[in-house]
Amino acid sequence: MHEEEKLRFAAARRRILRGLGVVGVGTLAGAVGRRVLASHTADTITQPFGNGERPLVQWPEKRQLIQLTTRPPQLDTPFSVFNEGVLTPNDAFFVRYHNAFIFGTPPTGPQTIDTTTFRLVVDGNVNRRLSLTVADLKTKFTPMETVAVCQCAGNSRGFFKPRVRGGQWAHGAMGNARWTGVALRDVLQSAGVGAAAVQVALDGLDTEAWGGVPDFQKAINIDLALGGEVMIAYAMNGADLPMLNGFPIRLVVPGYYATYWVKHLTRITVVDSVYDTFYMTTGYRIPNNDCACVPPGTTPTSTVPITLMNVRSFITSHVDGAAVSLALGQQVVNGIAFDGGSGIREVQFSQDGGVNWRAAQLGPDLGRYSYRPWNIVFSPSQTGTYVLQSRAVNNLGQIQPLDPLWNPPGYMHNIVESVRVRVTG
Ligand SMILES: Nc1nc2c(c(=O)[nH]1)N[C@H]1C(S)=C(S)[C@@H](COP(=O)(O)O)O[C@H]1N2
Ligand SMILES: [Mo]
C-alpha cells in the first residue's frame, strides 16, 4: 500500500464514524457513544432461533438496528423494514464487516475518510495506472444507475439446522437500493486492460486485524468486470453512501452475493492469474454441486467460490405468530421476491402450509436485480392457525426448496419460509 493512500485517514473530517466499539473508551465516548451504551440495556429483540436475544443499537447515520457484533459493527435489519417499501432506506440498511477495527486502531486510530486525499487506484496489468478522486469518477465517466439487492451469503444463517459457525443473522442481512455510479468497465477501459488479464483484485480501506484476521480482499473474473453491469457506486437511493455501507465508493455486483461488493473501494488490480486471497481461496466457498449443499454435518470434497444469489421470497406484511381477527375478512398479504438476476417469473402463495398454491400478483418491476413486490388476498374462512408460505420461481425455472439445504458455512439459505397466523373469533 502506497504512502499517499495511507493519508486517506488524515485530517479533514468529511465524515465521522463514531462509536467503533470503543464506547466508554478514550476521547470518542461522546454523547453518541453514551446513547449507544444506553440502548444496549434498553431495547433488545429476540430472533426466532436459540440464543437469539440481541440488543438494538443506533450507529451514526442509522436508525435502531439489531446488533450482531460491535467490533466490527455488524447490524441486522429488523424485518419490518422490508414492508415499508421496495427500496431499503439507507438508515435501515444492514452492515457487515470482517475486521474488528475498520480504519485503524481505536481509540487513537482515525475514524474518518477524507475525500480530498481519498484515491481509487487502478493498477496491475494496465497500460496506465490511474489514481482517481471521487470527483474524477463523477465527472470523467458516464453515470449509471441500477436497482439491486445486496445480500450477504450468510443471510438467515441463524436458521440452519444443525447450527453452523459464523454471524447468526436472521433475514435482515439483505437490502435493495438504487445505486448510482460508473461502470467498472469504463474505468478499466480508460486504464487499458492487458490481454493476459484473468481477474481484477479488489481492496477497500479496511486492513488486516490482529488475531490473524486477514485483510478483506476479493476478486472477480475479468469478463464480469468488463461486462458493463458491475458498478463503482458513489450513491445509494440518491444520497452519499452511508459510512458503514462503504463511503465514499463501493463495488456493486448485481446478482452476486454481497461479499464481492467491496466497500471503501481503494484499489483495483488487474491480475493475470486467479487471485490468491483468503476470502476467495478459503472463505466464501460453496460445495461444488447444483444445490451447493452436503448432508448436514459433513464436509464437501470440492468447493468453488460463491457467485450468484439463488431465488428467494418473503412475506413482509404478516409476522410469524401474528393474530388477526376473523371479522377483518379478506386481507392483503404483501411480500418480496428476488434472485441472481434472471428475474422473478412467478410467486406462489399457500395459506394451508403448502397443500394448495395460488399465483400471487406481481408488483412494479424495478429491474431484474431488484426486489419484486407481490401481493395476494388471504381469505380465512374460519378461526384457527394458518401457515402462510410463498414460493418464488425465477426465469430460469429455479424454485425455492421446501426442505432445507445445508452447507458448513451456512450460505445461500433459501427454503420456503412459514408465517403462522392465528385467526381469532
Ligand atoms: N471493505 C469491505 N467491504 C466489504 C466487506 C468488508 O468486510 N470490508 N464485507 C463484504 C460482505 S461479506 C458483505 S455481506 C457486504 C455487506 O455490505 P453492507 O455492510 O453495506 O450491508 O459488504 C462486503 N464488502
Ligand atoms: Mo457477507
Side-chain angles (χ1 to χ4, degrees), residues 35-47 53-59 63-68 75-78:
R35 207 169 343 137
V36 170
L37 195 62
S39 66
H40 278 243
T41 48
D43 297 312
T44 63
I45 74 147
T46 302
Q47 305 284 29
E53 188 172 301
R54 308 264 184 275
L56 284 162
V57 291
Q58 189 169 1
W59 282 72
R63 69 176 84 171
Q64 277 214 330
L65 298 175
I66 302 161
Q67 176 182 291
L68 215 66
L75 308 169
D76 200 333
T77 300

Side-chain angles (χ1 to χ4, degrees), residues 94-158:
F94 83 103
V95 174
R96 197 267 191 264
Y97 281 99
H98 290 77
N99 292 348
F101 301 125
I102 313 174
F103 309 112
T105 308
T108 54
Q111 311 296 321
T112 67
I113 292 175
D114 177 359
T115 48
T116 63
T117 52
F118 177 89
R119 294 290 183 276
L120 171 64
V121 170
V122 182
D123 63 3
N125 185 0
V126 290
N127 296 337
R128 62 185 188 114
R129 177 184 190 274
L130 306 181
S131 177
L132 303 168
T133 63
V134 179
D136 290 336
L137 288 169
K138 288 180 177 172
T139 56
K140 296 181 178 162
F141 299 89
T142 311
M144 64 182 283
E145 257 185 21
T146 310
V147 178
V149 175
C150 175
Q151 181 187 212
C152 180
N155 190 25
S156 318
R157 183 183 283 125

Side-chain angles (χ1 to χ4, degrees), residues 12-337:
R13 300 202 152 200
R14 174 62 182 76
R15 290 258 168 135
I16 299 171
L17 180 63
R18 270 185 272 209
L20 246 183
V22 289
V23 172
V25 180
T27 53
L28 284 173
V32 171
R34 273 193 289 278
R35 207 169 343 137
V36 170
L37 195 62
S39 66
H40 278 243
T41 48
D43 297 312
T44 63
I45 74 147
T46 302
Q47 305 284 29
F49 42 73
N51 218 5
E53 188 172 301
R54 308 264 184 275
L56 284 162
V57 291
Q58 189 169 1
W59 282 72
E61 303 174 285
K62 295 287 175 187
R63 69 176 84 171
Q64 277 214 330
L65 298 175
I66 302 161
Q67 176 182 291
L68 215 66
T69 59
T70 301
R71 301 177 205 201
Q74 297 200 94
L75 308 169
D76 200 333
T77 300
F79 201 75
S80 58
V81 166
F82 303 116
N83 201 44
E84 287 176 21
V86 72
L87 297 178
T88 312
N90 291 3
D91 71 346
F93 214 93
F94 83 103
V95 174
R96 197 267 191 264
Y97 281 99
H98 290 77
N99 292 348
F101 301 125
I102 313 174
F103 309 112
T105 308
T108 54
Q111 311 296 321
T112 67
I113 292 175
D114 177 359
T115 48
T116 63
T117 52
F118 177 89
R119 294 290 183 276
L120 171 64
V121 170
V122 182
D123 63 3
N125 185 0
V126 290
N127 296 337
R128 62 185 188 114
R129 177 184 190 274
L130 306 181
S131 177
L132 303 168
T133 63
V134 179
D136 290 336
L137 288 169
K138 288 180 177 172
T139 56
K140 296 181 178 162
F141 299 89
T142 311
M144 64 182 283
E145 257 185 21
T146 310
V147 178
V149 175
C150 175
Q151 181 187 212
C152 180
N155 190 25
S156 318
R157 183 183 283 125
F159 295 97
F160 271 82
K161 289 187 198 126
R163 299 290 287 266
V164 294
R165 279 171 213 252
Q168 300 296 300
W169 299 100
H171 300 313
M174 62 177 193
N176 186 41
R178 186 183 302 279
W179 308 94
T180 310
V182 301
L184 173 60
R185 177 199 54 203
D186 294 354
V187 173
L188 288 173
Q189 281 175 352
S190 112
V193 174
V198 171
Q199 288 194 321
V200 297
L202 306 155
D203 196 7
L205 289 179
D206 44 351
T207 50
E208 188 176 311
W210 62 74
V213 181
D215 184 17
F216 186 77
Q217 294 182 25
K218 296 293 293 186
I220 60 173
N221 291 339
I222 193 70
D223 293 354
L224 178 62
L226 293 173
E229 290 192 330
V230 178
M231 291 171 64
I232 301 167
Y234 47 74
M236 179 175 171
N237 295 323
D240 283 354
L241 300 175
M243 185 71 165
L244 292 172
N245 298 111
F247 182 86
I249 52 172
R250 82 175 305 168
L251 204 71
V252 166
V253 189
Y256 278 65
Y257 281 99
T259 178
Y260 296 99
W261 298 40
V262 175
K263 301 191 279 189
H264 322 286
L265 181 66
T266 191
R267 183 175 221 118
I268 299 171
T269 306
V270 178
V271 292
D272 296 347
S273 57
V274 172
Y275 192 60
D276 185 3
T277 165
F278 177 84
Y279 294 99
M280 295 299 295
T281 52
T282 305
Y284 289 99
R285 296 180 73 91
I286 54 171
N288 185 10
N289 57 36
D290 285 345
C291 65
C293 68
V294 290
T298 66
T299 306
T301 48
S302 162
T303 62
V304 290
I306 196 168
T307 57
L308 291 173
M309 294 188 285
N310 57 18
V311 63
R312 300 196 78 170
S313 68
F314 294 94
I315 291 166
T316 56
S317 55
H318 291 65
V319 300
D320 195 38
V324 298
S325 160
L326 186 61
L328 272 180
Q330 294 193 337
Q331 52 195 287
V332 175
V333 172
N334 290 299
I336 51 173

